Amino acid sequence: MTSVPLSAAPRSSEQPGLTPQSSGHTLVRIAANPVGLLSAVVFLIYWLPARVIVPGLTSIGRPGTLLALGLLLLWLLAHLHPEHVVAGRQPMRWGLLAYFLTLAASYISGELRGLSVLESNNADRTMMAAGCLIGVALMAADGLRSRRQLGLMLRVLFWSGTFMAVVGILQFALRKDITIYIQPPGLAFQAPPVGFSNRGSGGLVRVAGTVGHYIEFSTLVAAVVVPLGLHFSRYAVRSLERQLIAVATVISACAIPLALSRTGILALFISMLVVGIAWPWKRRITIGLATLATTAAFSVIRPGLLGTLRALFFHSENDPSLSGRTDDYARVFPLIFERPWLGRGTGTFIPEQYFLLDNQWLLTLVSSGIIGVLGLAVLLFTGMGQGIAVWRRAARESDRHLAACLVGGLAAFTFSAFTFDALFFTTFVVTLGLLLGAVGALWRISGSGRAHDRY
């Protein structure tokens, strides 16, 4: 049976949507296709360092975030024409709308309160970051029309995350930040390199790959790269591809401890716990043995690394990063009680004017209030709810397994938001939008996908 072209599925079996209908050069059609546009966002976000921006712009001016904002505009323009409106239910749209409305309400409330210049600038930045998330989520949920397109976009995400993980491994091995050499012509570095941070004994340093924070790095690899690698290493059609992805997954998993982050280890545990429910016992045992072998290899290659990680969990009472987080509670709750419902204004709680708050849920509560927390929770649980629905009801085993991987990633993201200001970091934000959009697309495809569609 003839497979669906990358640029479009046959009109007889596809709803009107964002897929272009004009013929032309194959590369042009791919680039103008939602899967091509989303893949371009992923490439720009993961392969370029987070501090590389268009000159004259702020940290939101990364090429990838600007393209993500463009996808939101493209989605809105496409929906001005009735032929391009994607018919049928899509709960993800409602989850994204609820999230946007809560942010907008808090944003307006903050403006009415009166903001300093710093607060106002960061409020605008936060709304633009939300636009990036919403843009990629809508484009993926409504634009990816087949399993083949969804699988291609997720493969680009996997291999881009693998590249980021390899950069982190090289940083750790060479003690040199190689991201200083990744600066395409016409772009500029917006901030100094993330660099290395000493932690533990034995000269160990934390690495961040191409992203903006060590926790962000370990969480992305643990919640996105490893689960997707486990999926494609099992369900990719070609044997060689499955083997290459399996090797890349092991390499990426080895990068997680190099961030020396409790959050990354717990994110890996949560994602694997969720995905493991979908596995037969044979696969659980195989993955467990592979994990033990990798841990044993680490104990030989870098003995102090595992000891430092162990100390982070079992001797945390002496960890200033953990005590700093708990000490913030007494300082922030009086501010929350001043404006409990809509907060002080979306994105207005900034370290330069207040203090650093390493807890996105608490940060959302003080800046956007109870309404903002509910909006974020609705968005995340909409994604996990759609994924669980596919997991339970899909006829194809591969659909159910991919749904488990996406749910595991979203669950790990939800947890990690308790440990750092996650939505400040644009790679995290865009990746969250991609996961939500992928869940929305899979939810639709799994109910009407054709038998010849493959991952």
Side-chain angles (χ1 to χ4, degrees):
M1 186 175 292
T2 305
S3 62
V4 180
L6 186 60
S7 58
R11 291 296 298 168
S12 60
S13 59
E14 185 179 86
Q15 295 170 341
L18 298 171
T19 305
Q21 301 303 312
S22 60
S23 60
H25 195 279
T26 301
L27 291 178
V28 175
R29 286 184 292 159
I30 291 174
N33 192 281
V35 69
L37 293 169
L38 289 166
S39 297
V41 171
V42 173
F43 180 84
L44 293 171
I45 284 290
Y46 276 86
W47 289 69
L48 298 183
R51 59 198 182 89
V52 170
I53 63 166
V54 175
L57 300 181
T58 63
S59 59
I60 204 69
R62 300 175 63 187
T65 54
L66 294 177
L67 181 55
L69 283 170
L71 295 189
L72 176 58
L73 178 61
L74 179 61
W75 186 91
L76 292 171
L77 290 175
H79 281 65
L80 294 177
H81 197 290
E83 290 186 3
H84 295 292
V85 175
V86 179
R89 293 188 303 122
Q90 178 52 270
M92 184 53 63
R93 294 191 211 118
W94 293 105
L96 291 166
L97 178 62
Y99 177 61
F100 171 76
L101 290 178
T102 58
L103 288 182
S106 177
Y107 179 86
I108 295 171
S109 175
E111 292 292 340
L112 293 175
R113 172 174 69 87
L115 304 178
S116 66
V117 174
L118 287 175
E119 288 178 311
S120 180
N121 289 341
N122 204 63
D124 294 340
R125 180 196 181 279
T126 302
M127 293 300 293
M128 286 189 286
C132 296
L133 185 156
I134 295 169
V136 295
L138 288 173
M139 184 62 72
D142 285 345
L144 300 176
R145 314 312 303 276
S146 68
R147 290 184 178 85
R148 187 167 182 257
Q149 290 188 338
L150 175 60
L152 179 56
M153 189 277 288
L154 291 177
R155 277 180 173 85
V156 173
L157 180 58
F158 167 76
W159 286 111
S160 297
T162 299
F163 170 79
M164 177 188 67
V166 170
V167 169
I169 293 172
L170 291 176
Q171 289 171 332
F172 187 86
L174 302 176
R175 297 294 180 91
K176 185 176 181 62
D177 188 359
I178 61 175
T179 63
I180 62 175
Y181 302 110
I182 309 176
Q183 182 185 3
L187 300 178
F189 287 120
Q190 181 258 344
V194 178
F196 307 117
S197 173
N198 294 317
R199 194 169 210 178
S201 58
L204 294 175
V205 294
R206 311 175 75 184
V207 297
T210 58
V211 298
H213 197 277
Y214 317 107
I215 298 178
E216 182 188 21
F217 170 74
S218 60
T219 300
L220 289 171
V221 177
V224 179
V225 182
V226 172
L228 288 179
L230 292 173
H231 175 76
F232 288 121
S233 66
R234 182 177 183 182
Y235 291 102
V237 177
R238 293 176 293 277
S239 175
L240 178 60
E241 183 185 9
R242 291 197 298 271
Q243 294 169 9
L244 290 174
I245 289 176
V247 172
T249 303
V250 173
I251 293 173
S252 298
C254 290
I256 298 172
L258 305 185
L260 294 172
S261 167
R262 277 182 295 261
T263 302
I265 301 299
L266 290 174
L268 181 64
F269 174 78
I270 292 170
S271 62
M272 290 300 97
L273 180 65
V274 174
V275 177
I277 298 174
W279 291 339
W281 273 106
K282 181 179 179 181
R283 186 166 176 82
R284 293 173 188 169
I285 293 172
T286 301
I287 298 298
L289 292 175
T291 303
L292 290 175
T294 304
T295 304
F298 263 113
S299 65
V300 174
I301 298 172
R302 202 67 167 89
L305 182 63
L306 295 181
T308 299
L309 290 172
R310 191 181 305 113
L312 291 176
F313 286 95
F314 298 105
H315 301 285
S316 57
E317 65 276 2
N318 299 321
D319 190 338
S321 66
L322 189 61
S323 60
R325 287 183 175 91
T326 56
D327 291 345
D328 289 339
Y329 297 163
R331 303 169 64 189
V332 75
F333 276 108
L335 297 174
I336 293 172
F337 293 142
E338 287 180 8
R339 302 175 68 89
W341 292 105
L342 291 174
R344 305 186 66 80
T346 296
T348 60
F349 196 86
I350 52 177
E352 294 85 352
Q353 187 161 326
Y354 298 97
F355 51 89
L356 181 63
L357 196 55
D358 274 331
N359 183 325
Q360 183 60 55
W361 288 101
L362 202 56
L363 187 58
T364 302
L365 183 59
V366 69
S367 61
S368 300
I370 295 172
I371 300 299
V373 170
L374 290 176
L376 180 57
V378 165
L379 177 61
L380 291 169
F381 283 103
T382 297
M384 286 187 279
Q386 280 191 276
I388 292 170
V390 176
W391 190 351
R392 294 179 58 189
R393 301 171 188 170
R396 297 166 61 110
E397 180 186 339
S398 58
D399 286 347
R400 296 195 299 271
H401 189 268
L402 180 57
C405 293
L406 296 174
V407 171
L410 289 172
F413 271 27
T414 302
F415 161 78
S416 66
F418 284 101
T419 64
F420 77 121
D421 47 339
L423 296 182
F424 175 81
F425 298 96
T426 48
T427 305
F428 185 99
V429 168
V430 170
T431 306
L432 175 58
L434 289 166
L435 291 185
L436 292 169
V439 167
L442 182 62
W443 181 85
R444 174 173 39 76
I445 293 168
S446 64
S448 58
R450 295 172 296 281
H452 62 267
D453 286 331
R454 292 182 175 182
Y455 289 118

